[in-house]
Amino acid sequence: MCCCCPPAITALFYLWVRSGFSKDAVAGALVFFPPDPPLYKFKRIAANGDVLPDIDDEAEDLEEGNGVGGGTEESKREEDDDDDSDSDSDLGTFEIDTKSSHKANNDANHTNNQQKVSAEVRRQRRKQREEARQKQRQEYSQDPIAAMTDRSNKLRLRAKRRSKIDARDDTNGVTYQFVPDIATLGTLPSFHGTIQAVKIGPQKRTGSYIAALLYKLPESEITPNTKTILYSHGNAADIGAMSGLQAMLAKNLKCNVLVYDYSGYGESGGIPMEKNTYRDVKLVYEWLVQNVTKHEHNVILYGQSVGSG
């Protein structure tokens, strides 16, 4: 690069080199913008009913047994996330063969006190992190190379942490409860069915799990012809931000709705990249047919903005 190149171009070139000349890594940095912080969380519930600690994506390290070890299969898979040598062989078919996933029933009637306490904690945490980010943005405004490199490194580290924890949770039978950020979203529409918080996976190539919410009608309203909308949301959104809309869709259209987060968004693992979004929808679609609709003709695909691609 020459000295007359704009700083942003220099930063993209630097990221391209650092990523092993991966075009996907550069494209992902330009295209995908997950809400930060997410507008929801999945409360982790152990098999014995105990509430497990939240996953902190900004922690310096994980507790004993949860750290990111070198040379593991999960680490190798995450390294494949932004590898342009990917043959896309795993994207060529849509066979229904997903076998590894687990779901949790979410009690739609969380107590108001629990939500208020959780919302206050998240509000304080959001404020502290936003102050830190503001300071960091001021520093990075003078150095786009450092900014882009830091973001890329954080995404890769987050993906490895998530992969390890989600895989362990899957093995241990951990289930989930959906907790929206009501301090930001406000009061959400009521839904008379059930809301199931699900982590679907692992992805065969990357080893990551995809976070999803299934808005399911009461059994008394379900027929063999009941449809399920598979909803792919827009770019700067997550399943927390879309939760109110999904509840209204399910209620007013008398159908089930399954909405999911792309790799690197919300509670999903992986790295936000174009190829991974194809893997995400394929994985979620197969899970939906196998576990909910039983027939492909009962699935309605709906995409918003980037989700329509």
Side-chain angles (χ1 to χ4, degrees):
M1 303 297 291
C2 62
C3 60
C4 61
C5 288
I9 300 300
T10 303
L12 289 174
F13 178 78
Y14 185 77
L15 176 60
W16 181 56
V17 174
R18 284 290 302 271
S19 64
F21 305 101
S22 168
K23 298 187 294 292
D24 284 342
V26 176
L30 294 174
V31 173
F32 298 103
F33 300 95
D36 185 16
L39 297 174
Y40 75 101
K41 72 172 183 177
F42 276 3
K43 182 186 293 184
R44 302 163 61 229
I45 310 297
N48 63 2
D50 291 344
V51 176
L52 299 175
D54 293 339
I55 298 175
D56 187 355
D57 289 324
E58 297 189 3
E60 290 299 320
D61 205 347
L62 301 179
E63 65 272 18
E64 182 70 22
N66 295 344
V68 181
T72 65
E73 182 64 23
E74 290 84 357
S75 298
K76 178 60 174 67
R77 284 171 170 172
E78 291 301 337
E79 289 169 3
D80 289 340
D81 255 1
D82 55 3
D83 183 3
D84 279 340
S85 64
D86 186 348
S87 66
D88 294 345
S89 59
D90 59 323
L91 303 176
T93 62
F94 234 59
E95 297 175 0
I96 303 171
D97 59 358
T98 302
K99 297 180 180 179
S100 177
S101 63
H102 61 278
K103 59 187 178 182
N105 289 334
N106 176 49
D107 182 4
N109 297 316
H110 294 308
T111 64
N112 290 333
N113 287 338
Q114 288 176 320
Q115 288 190 338
K116 288 179 180 178
V117 171
S118 178
E120 178 62 22
V121 171
R122 288 173 61 79
R123 188 186 68 80
Q124 293 294 338
R125 190 176 298 172
R126 180 191 294 271
K127 180 179 179 181
Q128 293 171 359
R129 290 181 176 176
E130 182 54 37
E131 291 174 351
R133 290 190 186 97
Q134 182 62 32
K135 180 179 179 181
Q136 194 174 60
R137 279 194 291 267
Q138 293 174 354
E139 297 173 353
Y140 284 166
S141 64
Q142 305 300 320
D143 191 350
I145 293 178
M148 192 165 290
T149 302
D150 182 68
R151 179 175 184 267
S152 176
N153 290 338
K154 284 183 176 179
L155 287 174
R156 290 176 63 84
L157 180 58
R158 175 192 182 279
K160 291 180 180 181
R161 285 172 171 162
R162 287 275 175 176
S163 179
K164 269 191 165 292
I165 294 175
D166 288 343
R168 185 197 60 196
D169 285 354
D170 193 1
T171 299
N172 294 337
V174 172
T175 55
Y176 306 95
Q177 289 183 354
F178 172 59
V179 181
D181 183 0
I182 59 174
T184 301
L185 300 173
T187 303
L188 298 176
S190 61
F191 179 60
H192 64 299
T194 59
I195 304 175
Q196 297 176 349
V198 186
K199 286 215 175 176
I200 303 172
Q203 294 275 13
K204 290 181 178 178
R205 186 175 185 89
T206 67
S208 59
Y209 288 72
I210 300 302
L213 290 178
L214 175 62
Y215 293 78
K216 191 173 183 180
L217 296 173
E219 291 297 329
S220 60
E221 298 182 20
I222 295 178
T223 72
N225 295 319
T226 296
K227 306 300 182 183
T228 299
I229 297 175
L230 176 52
Y231 195 104
S232 300
H233 62 66
N235 191 352
D238 59 25
I239 60 179
M242 305 304 296
S243 55
L245 175 61
Q246 309 312 316
M248 290 189 293
L249 286 176
K251 181 178 180 179
N252 295 326
L253 298 180
K254 308 251 182 244
C255 66
N256 303 321
V257 179
L258 180 65
V259 59
Y260 66 99
D261 268 341
Y262 309 118
S263 292
Y265 280 63
E267 293 276 350
S268 289
I271 298 173
M273 293 172 55
E274 181 181 356
K275 286 181 181 178
N276 285 343
T277 63
Y278 302 147
R279 295 186 176 104
D280 297 340
V281 69
K282 178 178 184 289
L283 179 69
V284 174
Y285 176 86
E286 291 173 345
W287 180 90
L288 175 61
V289 173
Q290 184 173 358
N291 294 277
V292 181
T293 67
K294 307 302 180 183
H295 300 286
E296 294 181 347
H297 65 259
N298 281 335
V299 178
I300 299 174
L301 301 178
Y302 184 93
Q304 175 193 13
S305 186
V306 71
S308 63

